[in-house]
Amino acid sequence: MLFEVWAPQARHVALEADGRTYAMEADPARPGWWRGEAPARHGTRYGFALDGGPARPDPRSRRQPDGPDGPSAVVDFGRFAWRHPWPGRGLPGAVLYELHTGTFTPEGTFDAAAGRLPHLAELGVTHVELMPVCPFPGRHGWGYDGVAPWAVHEPYGGPDGLRRFVDAAHALGLGVVLDVVHNHLGPSGNHLPAYGPYFTDTHHTPWGAAVNLDAPGSPEVRAYLIGSALAWLRDYRLDGLRLDAVHALADTGPRHFLADLSAAVDALAGRLGRPLFLIAESDLNDPATTTPREAGGHGLHAQWNDDFHHALHTALTGESQGYYADFAADPAHALAKTLRGGFFHDGTPSAFRARRHGRPLDPAATPAHRLLGYAQTHDQVGNRALGDRLSARLSPGLLACAAALVLCAPFTPMLFMGEEWGARTPWQYFTDHPDPALAEAVRTGRRREFEAHGWPAEEIPDPQDPATRDRSCLDWTEPGRPPHARLLAWYRNLIALRRAEPALTDPRWRYEALSVTAEGLVSFRRGPLHIAVNLAARPAALRPAGPVTEAAAAWRPVGLPDGPDGVLRLPPETAAVLR
């Protein structure tokens, strides 16, 4: 079997496979590359020794059976027998469901998560979005400190476990999206710097030196990350990737890394004959992220829209600390602006940033499905001091109102696991670092961060305590009992309505009579449907835009408009979709 590795700084490289050592030779056709052959089969353990040093994992390792610091293992992808053909499922019209493998079930494995997929199929979502699954130290963690971008976390089930999960999802008609992290690697188990200039001090990120996208050696680093992305989509039959924090991908070259990545993914989609898509997480509010490459943009297919989340969150909760301050100054205006055109910060002043932020997005040139809308995500829940969900402080009625605005707006909606039944379990920040010094640094840093915002240190959950992870696991007894069962039925009804009514998935930003009042009354019409949401604790009256024949969905009973003026009486904390 041929083994290859890019190690431009090494004087000599040896392959260690199944306890034997084999010399490798420099590849004359590719500077910095080494190659060598050795007997190998599926499961063969191997690594590369640079200049007489210890054997290290393969940067392109497909499996790390003993964790990030152990040897790599050969994976024969041809051994896996896919049971269900899959034509692919594109992004337009989708409803995404963000899921963390390690806490979706108490077992925290792909196989256990696959056992719960019928619940998602019945809910009506179209795609499962898995949080990162690359290997990281320990058993439990969020996954954003992964260190092997081509491999799968072994405690979740490794490569075969992920493929079984994807195959089970496809059997139910569910697409699968994977969250991948290109902007940094975790602090422990990262062997890439020993191989070559994967990182550069030319730029800095919140995690330290930046991934090298534009300094010497960057062509190979870019190819490394693009190759990883294509491997996930090709070898695991994924439908799309969510790209973590692309604003931290510093690139001053002639064409941004994201444009190269999107071009490669589009080309792969053509070869495979099925749709593939990329979703960016970006805090830049830059339309270039999703603008087609031929028009000078990066050509990604969608991006998260935190502005809509922040506007909705402040309207629901009244919170005004941190980045919520800009939206809490006038929640009604913020919510109306994001519903109408996506970005709230489009060149406007931001008190939180102490500068202007964002660029205008042209709704006429941007299909609405290119922005994801959501009321909760792993970030917006887990990065709170106690990991508390909206359900910890909002009534079921307000949770129902949030669902109506997310699922009836023009965006591509996304739910966070358990949201659909108002899960009462928190989702907290947890780690499992084997290194005691790193574990203590994470524990202390977390407490100091929230102490600075007035939280007593003893109230901040210890990320290293196994109980923190256990508290964050979903309680699957909740969906079958009140008040959760009613909210779950509401989500199912809204998603079914979205699927049945073309107006709700129309990619055009088309509204009639969009109105958001300071009293918390949100009203707009999309095609034949009028969405009315009362966030207030008292009844509201509104005059629908046009005659109403029925309530297609209502959280509380809503009568038809009455009186000479055709006024609709909307109960407190209630949402209704009127036909």
Side-chain angles (χ1 to χ4, degrees), residues 503-515:
L504 293 181
T505 53
D506 189 332
R508 296 170 293 179
W509 303 73
R510 296 185 61 182
Y511 293 105
E512 294 180 40
L514 172 61
S515 170

Side-chain angles (χ1 to χ4, degrees), residues 252 268 279 281 283 531 537 543:
T252 60
L268 179 63
I279 302 171
E281 179 203 18
D283 72 355
I531 292 84
R543 187 173 294 104

Side-chain angles (χ1 to χ4, degrees), residues 527-542:
L529 301 177
H530 190 112
I531 292 84
V533 176
N534 181 14
L535 303 178
R538 56 185 178 276
L542 66 90

Side-chain angles (χ1 to χ4, degrees), residues 58-129:
D58 183 355
R60 287 173 168 76
S61 170
R62 307 309 299 272
R63 186 182 176 204
Q64 290 297 120
D66 302 314
D69 290 313
S72 301
V74 172
V75 176
D76 177 5
F77 283 97
R79 292 175 67 256
F80 186 88
W82 293 97
R83 299 172 56 199
H84 305 285
W86 182 245
R89 191 159 192 174
L91 188 64
V95 178
L96 274 61
Y97 187 95
E98 190 185 23
L99 179 161
H100 177 260
T101 304
T103 51
F104 190 57
T105 66
E107 298 87 347
T109 65
F110 292 126
D111 288 338
R116 294 292 182 180
L117 286 175
H119 164 83
L120 300 186
E122 187 177 355
L123 175 63
V125 301
T126 62
H127 294 76
V128 179
E129 181 178 305

Side-chain angles (χ1 to χ4, degrees), residues 355-405:
R355 60 172 173 79
R356 291 183 177 273
H357 182 64
R359 295 174 53 199
L361 182 148
D362 181 5
T366 306
H369 69 253
R370 293 199 184 279
L371 294 186
L372 267 64
Y374 37 82
Q376 301 181 76
T377 70
H378 79 273
D379 271 331
Q380 303 303 337
V381 175
N383 284 328
R384 297 175 67 85
L386 302 181
D388 48 316
R389 298 168 178 264
L390 284 177
S391 55
R393 56 196 181 282
L394 295 184
S395 67
L398 285 179
L399 296 177
C401 290
L405 291 172

Side-chain angles (χ1 to χ4, degrees), residues 32 39 46 60 90 121 140 161 172 181 248 268 345 362 376 385 421 457 503 505 547:
Y46 73 99
R60 287 173 168 76
H140 295 299
L172 296 169
V181 183
L268 179 63
H345 286 304
D362 181 5
Q376 301 181 76
W421 71 73
T505 53

Side-chain angles (χ1 to χ4, degrees), residues 146-184:
V147 292
W150 292 59
V152 181
H153 193 50
E154 197 71 16
Y156 288 168
D160 280 352
L162 177 57
R163 296 180 119 203
R164 287 193 299 270
F165 177 88
V166 174
D167 205 27
H170 289 170
L172 296 169
L174 296 168
V176 182
V177 181
L178 178 63
D179 194 338
V180 296
V181 183
H182 292 159
N183 52 63
H184 77 291

